[in-house]
Structure formats: structure tokens, C-alpha cells
Amino acid sequence: MERLEGKVTIVTGGVQGIGKATALRCGAEGAYVVIADLQADETTAKEIVAAGGEAIHVEMDVRERRDWKRLLDETQKSFGPVDHLANVAGVVNMFSADNVVDLTDEGWDYVINSDLRGVWLGMQAVIPGMISRGGGSIVNVASMAALKGLNNLAAYSAAKGGVVSLTQQVAMEYGARGIRCNCVCPGTIDTPILANLPTSMRQKYADAHIIPRLGKTEEIAAAVAFFLSDDGAFCTGEVLPVDGGWNTKGNES
């Protein structure tokens, strides 16, 4: 029996990268997967179905409360109430330099609203229903930038740091009511965002890890699936780096 069999699981950002790998992993583990994404691309859902699983795609914006309501309505119609939420969707600043001095209002709002507000709205949407049924499991994907200062990631670090703190607060607030809430902090993962980097830059990122390569999206998905499942039943409020030893290695490369 798969670890997530029969569990209704929302995965945000499920069209590509870590979100796609997480959705595919949840599908392979037996979940009914709802891929929530700003893109109208049903490829991930079709892959899960082709492999014998159950999945739907819902186009939505994690920054909009009304979209979360519509997402829950569509999830209920297709599969029933939500058991699990994986908040994976995230962005980086595309509007300005991302340092405190040069960061623009537009850049700050774009990152904070997507990466932090979206996580809050997702949890706000699903937790009442989870409580009414005796519990549920939430995993938020943050970043090592939440735990360590990095250049040119001011808004991103603020947002992901907020995700870490919010994860722990939710775990404390709702743990007695059956809600587990955990956080995964990836290192440098080989996602489409890195696809156009020069080979020398990719190698620099790889060399920063003790395990001298970029992480795989499937490796982050495995950590998310663990926390969602009953294998992680005694885990809540945890912040797990999955970073190839990057944080342990420190600034050496």
C-alpha cells in the first residue's frame, strides 16, 4: 500500500521544477493529486493519470484568496475534502536588484505576495476543513536563503524566512487539533530556473555542496512526501535542509 493512498493532496506550483516532482511523487504514492498553478499546463496531471494515478489541474493564483476558494471547491467536486497541502509555488525577483537599497516596491511585493502571502492563504484555506475531520498534514517549501544570508536575495530571503517562522507558528497553534506542519529548505536544485546558466556558474553552485552536484527535484519531493505521510507522524514544526551539505560546508567551495 502506498504511503499516501487515498489522500487528497494539493500541490502548488506543480507544472515544473520541485512542484512537478512533488506532484508526481504524491501521485506515485497513491494520492489524489490536485495541481494548482498559474500556468494552464495540464502536463503534470496527464502524466500522473497515464501512470495509473488520479489527478486534476486547476489554474489559479496563490496570491488570490478567491482562487483558493475556487480551488477547494473544485477539489471537493473531484476528490473530496483536502487531507494534505504542499506549498511549493515560488518566484524570485524579476523587477529589480534584490538588495535592500536597490529593491523596488514592485519587486518586493511580487516576491512577498507569491512566496509568503501565497503560503499563508493556502494554509488559511485548508486548515479549517482539516480540523473538522481530525487533522491533516502541510509541508511548506522554503529555501536555505531563509537560514543563511545570501547576496542579492533580500525580498526572497525575507519571504522564505517568513515561511519558516510561519510553519513553526502553525505547528504550535494547531498541533493539538491534529495539524502537522513542516518545512523543507532546498539547497541549489537543478530546476528550469538554472537551465540557462553558464556551465561555469552551474559548476560553482555544485561545488558549494559537500555532495558535489546540484540537487535533484525528486530529492526534494521525497522529503515532502515523507513529511506528508504517516512515516513523518511524529514530526511537526521541523525545518529540514535538503542541501547536499551546503550549510555544513559553509562558505568554502
Side-chain angles (χ1 to χ4, degrees), residues 18 87 139-144 147 160 163-164 167 182-187 219-225 227 238-243:
I18 293 170
N87 274 314
V139 179
N140 299 320
V141 174
S143 169
M144 291 306 297
L147 307 179
K160 294 300 188 178
V163 170
V164 168
T167 295
N182 293 287
C183 185
V184 175
C185 291
E219 291 165 330
I220 307 304
V224 174
F227 278 136
E238 301 295 344
V239 179
L240 176 66
V242 183
D243 68 346

Side-chain angles (χ1 to χ4, degrees), residues 116-203:
L116 182 55
R117 174 182 167 85
V119 169
W120 163 52
L121 290 178
M123 292 195 290
Q124 185 182 68
V126 303
I127 285 174
M130 289 179 174
I131 289 173
S132 71
R133 294 186 308 283
S137 184
I138 298 169
V139 179
N140 299 320
V141 174
S143 169
M144 291 306 297
L147 307 179
K148 191 170 184 176
L150 298 173
N151 287 327
N152 204 43
L153 287 174
Y156 186 79
S157 296
K160 294 300 188 178
V163 170
V164 168
S165 296
L166 189 58
T167 295
Q168 294 177 320
Q169 195 281 328
V170 166
M172 189 69 185
E173 185 88 24
Y174 300 104
R177 304 174 79 176
I179 307 297
R180 292 191 300 107
C181 189
N182 293 287
C183 185
V184 175
C185 291
T188 306
I189 308 302
D190 196 2
T191 66
I193 293 175
L194 303 184
N196 296 321
L197 281 180
T199 301
S200 60
M201 186 61 70
R202 288 175 61 88
Q203 190 60 52

